Amino acid sequence: MTSTSEQAAPETTAAQAGPFDSVDAVVEALSAQGYIADRRLATTVFLLTRLEKPLLLEGPAGVGKTELAKMLAVATGRRFLRLQCYEGQDETKALYEWDYGKQLLYTQILREKIGQVVEDAPDIPSAVDRIGAQDSVFFSERFLAPRPLLQAIRSEEPVVLLIDEVDRADEALEAVLLETLGEFQISVPEVGTFAAENAPYVILTSNNTRDLAAALKRRCLHLFLDYPSAERELEIVRSKHTGLPEAAARELVEVVRGLRELELRKAPSISETIDWARTLAVLGVDELNSQILADTVSVVVKYDKDVTKALGALPKLVDPNTVVDDAHGHGHGHGHGHGHDGDHSHDAPANGQSRPATVDDEDDGPDGRAVRAAKDQEGRHVGHYAAGTEAKEAARRGEGPESKPRPVSSSQGSRSFGGGLGKRRAL
């Protein structure tokens, strides 16, 4: 098996014509399918088609990694196959499975024929040997159910294979992928080794939820795909024909980029920018304002806490000169620097009972974070410990106030434990 792969390697890595003549041809072909690729990405795709090596794309979710594989298949006229990875996935879901139901059905149908094969066997071992000689009948490609990896290798027509979110799969699946990615072949113990007649274009994607094995990365071209520049993202929005006016689309892109800087749990993706543009176009929006963006922000922000952050930031993102009104109406700043005088007990009940805590109570009193930070200062207890130690040492020498005996009254003595015992003995 090794010698075969070593002989095939020069043929697959030799200068293949490929579907693209140049990097510019890659840009044009993908652009014709609505995928706007920069020069760096187009160069990597060009190398993928010429070197016939898998490409590993890493980066945040929603930057176009999966879409690239789909558009590459359309641009090259290849069949598209996808393996969606998930936690707990085993090789049977990625490589192949045996169709045991079909095997059992065939066995039932051929029961009479099997009886004829073993009817004149002199003993049980001989009968088992005769049945074992027929293993190739029941463990053949007829009963093999191929999954995406084996489909890509066995396909008679060229394919683009997407192994999506490989970082979600277990490390055991990574080991299974090594043979497929390194030699474009899959070994099936019961049948043999399948080698690809047409090397597939393989694209793996990862959202960096965990580090991938070095052996896997070594077999791949690699590219980190990040959020695009403002101009390229605007170009992507234009290419999707969302219907949003140019000025509004440009402003929307800047708003989305501002939201991505808020450290949200999930930053808005490029596809969500497109969805937001289409949403605003459907609503007939010609000019953006903070109100319409606040009403539709759920298109790009998916978590409650993220929505709160986004709503607070939208007025400034639309107009940097906007003065945000105080949410409480007290003049309380978020830095807890109260700019007013007077008693804070303005809502206290007349009967003197404590009033129930409200949301506004969080702004009263010292800043809890500052108090905790002060408590975390290194060596803050040293002075107290030193003072206590000195006082005890002085008392031991008979010099401090602790060295002088305190006067005890007769009433205190009678109430002491010793005094009580004395009275009981007297009785």
Side-chain angles (χ1 to χ4, degrees), residues 82-316:
R82 177 174 183 170
L83 173 63
Q84 181 64 51
C85 299
Y86 53 87
E87 185 178 355
Q89 186 178 30
D90 58 12
E91 64 272 12
T92 60
K93 301 299 183 183
L95 295 173
Y96 62 88
E97 285 185 288
W98 286 108
D99 192 342
Y100 295 111
K102 191 175 182 181
Q103 285 177 326
L104 181 60
L105 177 62
Y106 273 55
T107 302
Q108 296 293 333
I109 295 174
L110 299 175
R111 179 183 298 175
E112 181 179 349
K113 194 66 177 177
I114 294 173
Q116 295 175 4
V117 171
V118 300
E119 65 180 357
D120 59 343
D123 51 29
I124 293 179
S126 299
V128 171
D129 290 339
R130 292 186 182 185
I131 296 176
Q134 309 301 321
D135 281 351
S136 59
V137 175
F138 293 96
F139 288 95
S140 63
E141 295 185 43
R142 182 183 291 107
F143 303 105
L144 197 62
R147 297 307 180 197
L149 294 184
L150 187 57
Q151 288 177 13
I153 296 299
R154 294 179 60 196
S155 177
E156 297 180 357
E157 58 178 323
V159 303
V160 172
L161 173 62
L162 169 64
I163 304 177
D164 206 14
E165 296 184 333
V166 67
D167 54 323
R168 293 186 179 274
D170 298 334
E171 294 181 2
L173 184 60
E174 287 188 40
V176 172
L177 292 174
L178 297 183
E179 180 185 12
T180 305
L181 300 179
E183 302 172 9
F184 293 121
Q185 67 179 32
I186 292 177
S187 298
V188 182
E190 298 86 352
V191 178
T193 300
F194 295 94
E197 295 182 4
N198 299 296
Y201 294 159
V202 183
I203 294 181
L204 303 91
T205 70
S206 169
N207 294 336
N208 289 330
T209 58
R210 68 173 178 86
D211 291 333
L212 300 177
L216 180 68
K217 289 190 173 185
R218 188 170 63 247
R219 286 165 170 77
C220 303
L221 300 171
H222 182 269
L223 182 67
F224 185 87
L225 200 60
D226 205 349
Y227 293 109
S229 64
E231 286 300 323
R232 192 161 76 89
E233 188 164 7
L234 178 60
E235 188 177 355
I236 293 172
V237 173
R238 286 197 202 105
S239 69
K240 299 303 180 181
H241 306 291
T242 61
L244 193 66
E246 173 71 15
R250 182 179 296 275
E251 189 175 1
L252 180 66
V253 167
E254 294 298 332
V255 169
V256 172
R257 291 173 64 82
L259 292 177
R260 290 179 186 146
E261 296 176 358
L262 297 179
E263 298 183 358
L264 304 177
R265 179 177 175 183
K266 180 194 171 300
S269 65
I270 301 174
S271 61
E272 288 169 334
T273 304
I274 297 170
D275 291 340
W276 207 1
R278 287 173 175 161
T279 299
L280 296 173
V282 168
L283 295 175
V285 175
D286 295 327
E287 184 177 352
L288 301 189
N289 58 71
S290 58
Q291 183 59 52
I292 190 62
L293 293 180
D295 292 342
T296 57
V297 73
S298 58
V299 174
V300 296
V301 181
K302 309 298 184 181
Y303 295 94
D304 288 343
K305 290 185 178 180
D306 288 354
V307 170
T308 302
K309 290 182 181 179
L311 292 177
L314 281 176
K316 283 286 187 181

